[in-house]
Amino acid sequence: MSAGNPGSAAGADARPRILVVDDNVLNRRMLQSLLEHHGFQVTQVEGGRQALEEVESSPPDLILLDLMMPEVDGFQVLTGVRKSFTPSALPVLMATASDSDEDVVRALELGANDYVTKPINRPVVLARVRSQLARAEAERALRQSEQRFALAAQGARDGIWDWDLAADRIYFSPRWEAMLGIPEGGLGHEVQAWTQRIHPRDRQAFDRALGAHVAGETEQFDHTYRIRHSDGSHRWFRTRGESVRDASGQAIRLAGSQTDVNDSFRDRLTGLATDVLFRDRLDEAIELLLQDQTASFGVLLFDIDDFDRLKNRIGYRRSEALLKLLAQRLERGVAEATTELGHGVEMTLARHDTSEFLVLLENLPPDADLTSCAAEIQAVLSEPCEIEGRPISVPVSVALLLSNRRHRVAEEVLTELALAVEQVRDSQVA
C-alpha cells in the first residue's frame, strides 16, 4: 500500500487490513486469531516504533492500538499517525487497561476514534472494529461523490444548484452564477437570491411547479421561466431537478441544473422573439386579463405586402437582409412610439411566419392610443431602404387588436388579426 492511501490493497486481497499493536504477545495472538476468523487481514507488531514504521510503509485500514507500551507508548503512536491521517482516513481504536478517565479523554482528544478496555471483550471489539471501518468507508465514498460532483459542476455547460431544504441553504455552481453575469459566490446561499430575480410574471407559475414537485405530485421539477441578468435584462432559462426524500417521503434535498434557453426563443435571422414565445406571452396576457379586469394589452400585426413576389425579384440573400433591417426598424419604431404611452408598458416583439411581425404591448394605460402607435411604427417600417446598393420599396400593412374578454387563447387573437390585415389590403386595393 502507498502512504497516504490506507485501505488500497496492493494485491488481489481486498479484505480490510488491521494493524494490531501490543507489547503483550498473547494479546496480539488472541486478537489476530479473532479478527482473521471474522474475515480480516491482520498485521501485528509489538511496539510503537514498529507501528509507526508499518503505518508509513503500508498504511492499514484500521489500527488497534495498545495504550501502555514501553519506549514509545500509544499516545506517541497516535500523535504520529494523526500527522499524516485524519480520523476518517485511518481509524484508531485504543485498547487500554487503565482505569483512568483522563487517559481515555486524552486519547480521544489526540484523535482516537474509539476505545476498548482490557481484558478484551471479543464481541465488543468486533462490533467497534466493524463500526469504525463502516464509518470510514462511508466517509470515503462521500468524499469521492463530492469530488465527482465538484468536477461535474466545474465542467458542466449548465449551471448546477443543490438546495438543502431542511437547512434552507442552497449551493449555486460558478457556472450558474456566470450565466447571470454574477461573480463566483455573489449570490450567497439564500434561496431568495434566486427567487427574487425571477420575472414577476413568471414567479407564480415557478412556485406552483416547485411546490408540486416537493409535495410529490410530479417525478421531476421541470420549468422554463425568465430570470433577471445582472445587466437588467430578463433571459429565458429551463431548470430541472429531483428531490431526495427521507423514509417518510418528505423532501429533504432538491438538486438539479439550469440551462440557458434564451436562444431557443429567438428567431435565428432577426433576433426577435420566436412565434412560440410570442404565443406563450400572449396566452399569459389573456389569462391575466381573465383574472384581473384592470389588466390590458394590445397586439399589432405588421405584414410586408406581396413579400413572395418581392423575394423572387430581389433574391433570397437580399430578402433576408431586408427582414433583418425591418426587424431593427421595428425595435426602433416600437421604442419611439411607446415612449408616449408612459412608463411600465411591457413589449414583446416577434417574427411571425415569413414576412410578418408581431408586437405585444402590456400594461397599457387606460387612455392609450394604439391606433396612433401603430401608424407611427408602420411609417418607420415603410421608409425607403437600400439593400446591397439596390433601392427597395417596402409597403407594410398593419392590423391591431385591443384586449377584450372574448378571447380565451392566443390563437383566437392571431386569427382575428390575420383576417383584419387581409381586410386592410382589400380596402387599399379597392
Side-chain angles (χ1 to χ4, degrees), residues 2 79 102 128 159 168 246 248 295 301 327 345 399 426:
S2 59
T79 300
E102 292 182 2
R128 295 191 175 179
D168 198 23
D246 60 19
S248 67
L301 171 63
V345 176
D426 291 343

Side-chain angles (χ1 to χ4, degrees), residues 275 278-280 282-283 286-287 289-290 297 299 301 352 358 399-421:
D275 190 55
F278 189 89
R279 289 170 186 266
D280 180 74
L282 182 53
D283 275 330
I286 294 171
E287 183 178 354
L289 177 65
L290 296 175
F297 66 85
V299 185
L301 171 63
H352 180 59
L358 287 165
L400 63 90
L401 183 145
L402 280 169
S403 56
N404 57 72
R405 299 176 66 82
R406 72 173 183 274
H407 297 117
R408 299 289 171 173
V409 293
E411 188 60 37
E412 295 176 2
V413 173
L414 298 180
T415 298
E416 185 169 325
L417 280 170
L419 293 173
V421 80

Side-chain angles (χ1 to χ4, degrees), residues 7 79 86 100 122-123 143 154-155 169 180 260 271 362:
T79 300
T86 65
S100 172
R122 297 187 180 201
R143 287 195 301 272
Q154 184 178 0
R169 285 175 61 81
L180 295 178
D260 187 338
E362 302 177 73

Side-chain angles (χ1 to χ4, degrees), residues 35-113:
L35 294 169
E36 287 182 343
H37 178 72
H38 287 85
F40 299 101
Q41 299 181 73
V42 177
T43 300
Q44 54 159 298
V45 295
E46 63 178 346
R49 198 178 310 280
Q50 296 96 318
L52 290 173
E53 291 173 354
E54 182 68 25
V55 169
E56 183 178 357
S57 63
S58 183
D61 294 289
L62 179 143
I63 303 175
L64 190 53
L65 177 62
D66 187 21
L67 187 59
M68 297 302 178
M69 295 181 296
E71 297 184 11
V72 179
D73 64 17
F75 293 121
Q76 293 171 293
V77 174
L78 180 59
T79 300
V81 169
R82 288 293 170 251
K83 290 179 180 179
S84 301
F85 300 97
T86 65
S88 61
L90 178 50
V92 176
L93 194 61
M94 304 298 296
T96 176
S98 172
D99 294 330
S100 172
D101 290 340
E102 292 182 2
D103 287 341
V104 172
V105 171
R106 182 185 174 195
L108 294 173
E109 288 178 343
L110 288 173
N113 295 71

